[in-house]
Amino acid sequence: MTSTAVLRPYRPEDREALFDICVRTAHEGGDSRALYPDLELLPNIFAAPYAVLEPDLAFVVEDEGRAVGYIVGTADTASFVSRFRTEWLPGVSTRYPAPVGPPTTPTEVMVDLMHRPERMLLPELSEYPAHLHIDLLPTHQREGHGRRLLQAFLGALHRKGVAAVHLGMVTSNTPARAFYDRVGFHEIPVPDPGPLTYLGRGTA
C-alpha cells in the first residue's frame, strides 16, 4: 500500500481531482476522454451530484496532497433521484440541454441519462435503497484503497440505519466485477438490464 495515502472525507477543494478521476476511469475502468471530449459531462452525472447533495457519504483517498480515488453515493436512491431533478439538473441543463431526439452519439447517450434520473428507480432494487460509485486511478489500484473506501462508506450507511446498498456496473468490466465479488457483493437479477450488471450487499 502506498505509505503516504490516507483516507478522509471529501472536501469541496477536491472537486478538480474528483472530476479528473471520474474521467480517467469512466470507460470500463479506463480513460474516457476519447469517447467523451467534454471533460465535465460524466462527472456531472456520476460523481459531483453525490458529493454536493450528500457530502457526508463522500470519501477520498489522498496521496501527496491530491485525491487519487473516491467513493460517493446516496443513502436513499428515491430521494436522490428527486433531489437530482429539482436541485442538480437545473444547474447543468443550460450546458447540457435534453436531447430532442433519440441519442446517436456517446455524448448524447450520457446527456439523455442525465435527464432521466428516474431510470435508477428499479423495483428489483427496492431492498437495496442506497447506491454508490467508486473509482481509483490505475496507479492506486490493487493496493487495498478500494476496500478501505468501501468500508468507510458502508460504515456511514450503517450508522444512518441503511441496511443494504446496490450498484450498477458495466458487465464487460471484469476487473471491477472481481473486486466486488471479493468484497461481498452478489448479483441482483434485473430484467433487461442493458449493458449493466446490478450488484448488492448489506451494510453490516
Side-chain angles (χ1 to χ4, degrees):
M1 184 175 296
T2 306
S3 60
T4 58
V6 296
L7 187 147
R8 61 166 173 79
Y10 172 85
R11 298 193 291 249
E13 54 265 35
D14 296 318
R15 181 184 185 277
E16 180 182 347
L18 182 82
F19 276 51
D20 182 56
I21 296 163
C22 181
V23 166
R24 291 169 62 188
T25 59
H27 180 53
E28 298 184 8
D31 199 317
S32 67
R33 286 175 287 189
L35 278 176
Y36 307 101
D38 184 332
L39 302 186
E40 295 199 2
L41 173 59
L42 298 183
N44 271 307
I45 303 171
F46 301 115
Y50 299 90
V52 171
L53 298 177
E54 298 194 47
D56 59 331
L57 291 176
F59 300 91
V60 303
V61 170
E62 177 191 302
D63 194 12
E64 297 184 354
R66 183 176 174 84
V68 295
Y70 65 80
I71 190 167
V72 294
T74 178
D76 185 275
T77 298
S79 175
F80 177 80
V81 165
S82 176
R83 294 188 67 194
F84 187 99
R85 179 162 293 285
T86 61
E87 299 177 40
W88 185 260
L89 196 54
V92 295
S93 290
T94 299
R95 180 167 180 160
Y96 305 109
V100 295
T104 59
T105 68
T107 290
E108 289 176 354
V109 168
M110 289 300 159
V111 173
D112 177 64
L113 291 180
M114 175 186 286
H115 284 270
R116 293 189 297 107
E118 291 78 14
R119 74 187 188 283
M120 292 184 268
L121 300 176
L122 300 177
E124 295 81 9
L125 305 176
S126 61
E127 295 183 6
Y128 306 83
H131 75 260
L132 66 87
H133 297 278
I134 181 171
D135 289 297
L136 277 163
L137 292 179
T139 53
H140 288 73
Q141 294 174 8
R142 294 175 293 278
E143 296 181 347
H145 301 310
R147 188 180 292 267
R148 294 171 65 207
L149 285 166
L150 182 62
Q151 288 172 344
F153 184 82
L154 293 176
L157 288 179
H158 190 64
R159 290 189 292 274
K160 289 175 175 284
V162 180
V165 61
H166 76 269
L167 60 90
M169 58 158 285
V170 176
T171 302
S172 57
N173 189 349
T174 53
R177 177 60 189 269
F179 167 74
Y180 294 126
D181 287 345
R182 288 195 301 271
V183 295
F185 281 83
H186 59 265
E187 190 165 336
I188 305 170
V190 172
D192 302 317
L196 299 181
T197 295
Y198 291 93
L199 306 174
R201 60 156 289 169
T203 61

